[in-house]
Amino acid sequence: MTRKQLIDNIKNKQSFLCVGLDPDIKKIPQHLLDCENPLFEFNRQIIDATAPYAVAYKPNLAFYESLGTEGWIAFEKTVNYLREHYPDQLIIADAKRGDIGNTSRMYAQSFFEHLGVDAVTVAPYMGEDSVTPFLGYEGKWVVLLALTSNKGSHDFQLTEDTDGTRLFEKVITTSSRWASPESMMYVVGATQGRMFEDIRRLAPDNFLLVPGVGAQGGSLEEVCRYGMTPDCGLLVNSSRGIIFASDGTDFAQRAAEEAKKLQQQMAEELKKFSV
Ligand SMILES: O=c1ccn([C@@H]2O[C@H](COP(=O)(O)O)[C@@H](O)[C@H]2O)c(=O)[nH]1
């Protein structure tokens, strides 16, 4: 999906919601456990219920890989279901990959050629040759970890160089030479609040994938105040806050209600910024 298509979808739906598909087998409703593939059935119903309010889905590979072959099948079926039934939804594989060049090339092939997702999260730690194999696929995106939502973001990302440059700033400045905002997004946690101002000084045009609202307590309003651009420039993710709104037979309905609430707040924010 191109940047223009993504922006058009956001404007048409008045939403920049990314629904996180993190189907923890221990938390999905009991009655689904008898299905042939409970994870896929859970995702299918969540997707059907929330699609009107979302522009993107982000399955996190951990929740699939942890179940071995059955989990991987659920992941593939989920991606195929989205591609077939909801081709306008951006699919982000949250895999946090990145390795020496020839290995990264295999990861890129797996996600972009074999699975056909639109975007993959990549860790920057191994540098340019670990990231560039994911670039150069028409309409595909690298989503590079910049300033994450967790407490551990302080351990490395916020540490300063002798001239006061913080590591996440170096990641953005250096990596923005590798790709344009047409194919590079950054992960910035919603819990980072006012830091979005600093991010925007370095990456004024890039889309930011923003996890951390809902279960992690980040503020949508604050993210928008400091991070929104004339093109919106944000994809805000919520996983547990939507998909586990209920563990009963009404789980999909409750997920839709939570997604709709977020979408309505997003529409208000888009209005404020005249997007
Ligand atoms: O900085 C980061 C990077 C990735 N994540 C992932 O996003 C979702 C958040 O889930 P919630 O249930 O909405 O908290 C999950 O897949 C994380 O692994 C993140 O939270 N922070």
Side-chain angles (χ1 to χ4, degrees):
M1 180 181 298
T2 64
R3 180 183 162 93
K4 181 175 181 319
Q5 285 167 331
L6 178 60
I7 294 168
D8 286 348
N9 290 345
I10 289 171
K11 287 183 178 167
N12 290 338
K13 285 185 132 172
Q14 287 292 288
S15 170
F16 44 100
L17 175 63
C18 173
V19 175
L21 295 173
D22 296 355
D24 183 341
I25 190 77
K26 295 202 185 84
K27 289 194 191 159
I28 70 172
Q30 284 280 317
H31 71 280
L32 294 180
L33 297 177
D34 294 334
C35 297
E36 190 191 327
N37 192 317
L39 252 49
F40 172 64
E41 185 53 27
F42 178 75
N43 283 353
R44 189 186 66 74
Q45 292 194 40
I46 292 281
I47 292 164
D48 286 344
T50 57
Y53 313 112
V55 293
Y57 285 87
K58 183 180 78 62
N60 187 316
L61 270 289
F63 294 86
Y64 304 87
E65 289 173 341
S66 61
L67 296 182
T69 310
E70 191 190 329
W72 190 259
I73 290 170
F75 178 69
E76 284 205 320
K77 281 170 79 96
T78 300
V79 171
N80 290 341
Y81 187 75
L82 280 165
R83 291 182 63 192
E84 187 178 337
H85 297 272
Y86 300 97
D88 284 347
Q89 298 284 351
L90 186 88
I91 309 173
I92 304 166
D94 193 354
K96 303 183 180 71
R97 296 299 201 260
D99 206 320
I100 60 168
N102 67 315
T103 308
S104 272
R105 253 191 304 285
M106 291 298 136
Y107 280 138
Q109 261 178 41
S110 161
F111 286 106
F112 293 149
E113 296 178 31
H114 174 66
L115 289 156
V117 300
D118 299 289
V120 62
T121 58
V122 176
Y125 197 71
M126 289 179 72
E128 182 173 6
D129 58 322
S130 73
V131 176
T132 47
F134 293 93
L135 296 166
Y137 284 87
E138 185 74 29
K140 306 286 184 189
W141 298 81
V142 164
V143 190
L144 203 66
L145 299 182
L147 184 56
T148 56
S149 64
N150 58 326
K151 201 155 64 74
S153 64
H154 289 255
D155 293 342
F156 300 117
Q157 297 161 25
L158 286 165
T159 56
E160 291 181 9
D161 213 339
T162 44
D163 66 358
T165 308
R166 290 164 293 184
L167 183 58
F168 78 89
E169 294 174 312
K170 190 157 186 171
V171 166
I172 294 174
T173 309
T174 304
S175 63
S176 59
R177 294 184 205 120
W178 307 336
S180 78
E182 297 288 323
S183 59
M184 178 84 88
M185 300 189 193
Y186 294 104
V187 173
V188 182
T191 50
Q192 300 290 355
R194 219 179 162 137
M195 299 287 267
F196 277 81
E197 265 185 340
D198 299 350
I199 300 273
R200 278 301 178 210
R201 270 194 281 277
L202 300 170
D205 296 323
N206 296 79
F207 262 84
L208 306 179
L209 172 63
V210 185
V213 299
Q216 296 179 54
S219 153
L220 177 65
E221 196 269 326
E222 213 172 32
V223 168
C224 295
R225 184 167 353 131
Y226 300 117
M228 195 171 269
T229 70
D231 285 334
C232 177
L234 299 169
L235 286 173
V236 171
N237 179 86
S238 174
S239 306
R240 287 167 292 178
I242 291 177
I243 67 175
F244 297 130
S246 160
D247 61 1
T249 51
D250 62 346
F251 74 97
Q253 172 62 32
R254 291 282 295 108
E257 286 164 15
E258 291 305 315
K260 186 175 180 181
K261 262 192 241 163
L262 277 171
Q263 182 272 322
Q264 287 174 337
Q265 289 168 30
M266 288 175 176
E268 288 303 313
E269 295 295 335
L270 289 168
K271 226 187 286 166
K272 278 191 216 164
F273 289 84
S274 313
V275 180

